[in-house]
Amino acid sequence: MKKAFPLYMHAVHKQLLALIAFLFCIAIPSLAQVDTVIENASVRLPDVTVSNVNIQQLLDRIKNDTSFYKAFKTLHIVGYTSYNNINILNKDGSIKASYDSKVQQIRNGDCRSDKVLEQKSTGDFFDRKGDYNYTIGELFSNLFFVKGKECGENNIVAGQTFGTSGKSGIEKKKEQLKMLFFNPGKKIPGIPFIGNKLDLYDAEAKQKYNYSLETTTYNGISAYIFTITPKPGASGIVIDKMSTIFDVLTLDVLERSYSLSYKAGLYDFNVNMQVELKHINGLLVPTVMRYSGDWSIVFKKRERATFTATLVDFKK
């Protein structure tokens, strides 16, 4: 059995984080259609009008949603168990290497820590020293597992903003990751070639994408689904499809999914990700995260991988 996730990251991989972080960009709540205009973008609205709903206010609230960010911050103040699977794939889709684990996050007083209950690996997922052979494993660890012990955290999001001003090195890369993950749809400084292409609020983006808002039922809950898709013939895009499902009553995010692809001189990628959320013990938390991707970065071997993380047994 190989050792648990290392408590550090190699310097060379730190430099790659800014390029890889976009793989985990989740849902761009940009807006807009035929009758209602949000920042000069049109949004196709439901055929059935929902009574007592101000569409303008609804779309503004969707765009400024913080429930998704808060749900992930809530993971810092609760205990839970995660079942994790990572598969590294060959070109034909067969499994080259894999990692499976059962990890318990323990909340003790004002601190949290991780306990690896079970784990196994196949192939060359780890090297002889027990370090990662694949960047996806290291990035997964860095994003979702505690390094040692973390204390004094909360899930407050009011008044928090993201920005890279005054930051450098790994701290700047961490901030870029937060901007991509929780506040997408805006320009991200410092990510080569695609930083500006992630902006769905400028005039150029609105000429390339269609936006729609529909009513639906999700796990028995009345919901809205907001979808972004490229217009036919659109070029120079990064987002192939993006959808966000919101609870009609609370407007909390219930699911976000996306497909992204791009090819540049230094790297190319084609990735898909989905996150499901639920209210448990009065708190909105992520319960399932799924990822599949094929990407290559200069000086690194191409990686084709899938992962699934399922979170259960939440405790306040």
Side-chain angles (χ1 to χ4, degrees):
M1 180 182 294
K2 297 294 184 179
K3 71 179 184 180
F5 287 112
L7 304 183
Y8 60 91
M9 298 186 67
H10 299 304
V12 63
H13 286 153
K14 291 180 180 179
Q15 299 306 313
L16 293 174
L17 275 180
L19 297 178
I20 303 169
F22 60 78
L23 302 180
F24 298 90
C25 170
I26 299 185
I28 299 180
S30 305
L31 304 166
Q33 129 261 324
V34 180
D35 321 316
T36 301
V37 175
I38 303 295
E39 298 181 4
N40 298 318
S42 69
V43 178
R44 181 168 59 85
L45 295 177
D47 293 333
V48 179
T49 302
V50 181
S51 61
N52 300 320
V53 172
N54 183 310
I55 295 298
Q56 176 82 36
Q57 292 179 357
L58 171 64
L59 294 178
D60 281 340
R61 182 167 176 182
I62 289 175
K63 185 181 72 172
N64 297 312
D65 168 70
T66 58
S67 67
F68 188 73
Y69 179 35
K70 186 177 182 69
F72 273 86
K73 290 203 69 174
T74 296
L75 292 180
H76 295 178
I77 63 170
V78 297
Y80 61 88
T81 299
S82 63
Y83 292 85
N84 316 291
N85 166 259
I86 303 174
N87 289 324
I88 308 300
L89 306 178
N90 292 306
K91 187 176 182 179
D92 63 2
S94 60
I95 297 177
K96 180 180 181 181
S98 68
Y99 178 85
D100 290 274
S101 69
K102 178 181 179 182
V103 179
Q104 182 181 27
Q105 176 166 288
I106 301 170
R107 181 76 181 180
N108 187 4
D110 195 33
C111 300
R112 65 186 176 109
S113 60
D114 281 342
K115 180 179 181 181
V116 179
L117 303 178
E118 301 173 10
Q119 69 170 356
K120 63 179 180 180
S121 65
T122 66
D124 62 346
F125 192 83
F126 293 104
D127 63 20
R128 292 181 179 179
K129 296 181 180 180
D131 297 327
Y132 294 104
N133 268 322
Y134 300 95
T135 305
I136 190 66
E138 192 165 14
L139 183 60
F140 183 84
S141 170
N142 187 63
L143 286 172
F144 298 113
F145 290 93
V146 182
K147 297 176 175 65
K149 182 181 290 187
E150 296 285 346
C151 302
E153 298 173 299
N154 60 59
N155 66 342
I156 298 172
V157 298
Q160 295 196 21
T161 58
F162 303 118
T164 58
S165 179
K167 296 181 173 64
S168 61
I170 190 62
E171 292 305 315
K172 180 178 180 179
K173 292 174 174 59
K174 287 180 179 179
E175 197 68 9
Q176 288 171 326
L177 179 58
K178 291 178 182 178
M179 294 170 73
L180 285 163
F181 202 96
F182 299 116
N183 194 22
K186 297 181 180 180
K187 296 177 182 179
I188 310 296
I191 300 182
F193 307 115
I194 68 167
N196 290 347
K197 297 180 185 299
L198 291 172
D199 190 343
L200 293 194
Y201 300 124
D202 63 16
E204 181 180 356
K206 291 164 189 172
Q207 297 300 313
K208 296 182 177 182
Y209 288 95
N210 289 321
Y211 308 83
S212 70
L213 178 69
E214 302 288 345
T215 56
T216 187
T217 300
Y218 182 81
N219 291 335
I221 298 174
S222 296
Y224 298 116
I225 178 168
F226 185 77
T227 306
I228 305 169
T229 53
K231 294 181 178 179
S235 61
I237 61 173
V238 174
I239 300 154
D240 299 322
K241 184 177 181 180
M242 191 82 67
S243 67
T244 308
I245 299 177
F246 298 88
D247 186 317
V248 162
L249 296 180
T250 65
L251 287 188
D252 288 342
V253 174
L254 301 176
E255 179 183 308
R256 280 184 166 168
S257 61
Y258 71 87
S259 300
L260 305 176
S261 63
Y262 194 71
K263 182 174 290 187
L266 295 177
Y267 58 85
D268 65 82
F269 59 90
N270 189 330
V271 301
N272 299 274
M273 193 163 180
Q274 178 187 42
V275 178
E276 297 178 12
L277 304 95
K278 290 183 180 179
H279 286 96
I280 299 177
N281 299 327
L283 299 171
L284 181 67
V285 291
T287 56
V288 181
M289 290 170 276
R290 301 183 183 94
Y291 161 91
S292 64
D294 179 339
W295 58 270
S296 176
I297 294 177
V298 66
F299 305 130
K300 292 287 291 183
K301 292 182 179 180
R302 178 172 295 277
E303 290 192 15
R304 303 175 181 88
T306 65
F307 79 65
T308 301
T310 304
L311 282 55
V312 299
D313 195 23
F314 288 88
K315 296 180 174 63
K316 287 187 177 181

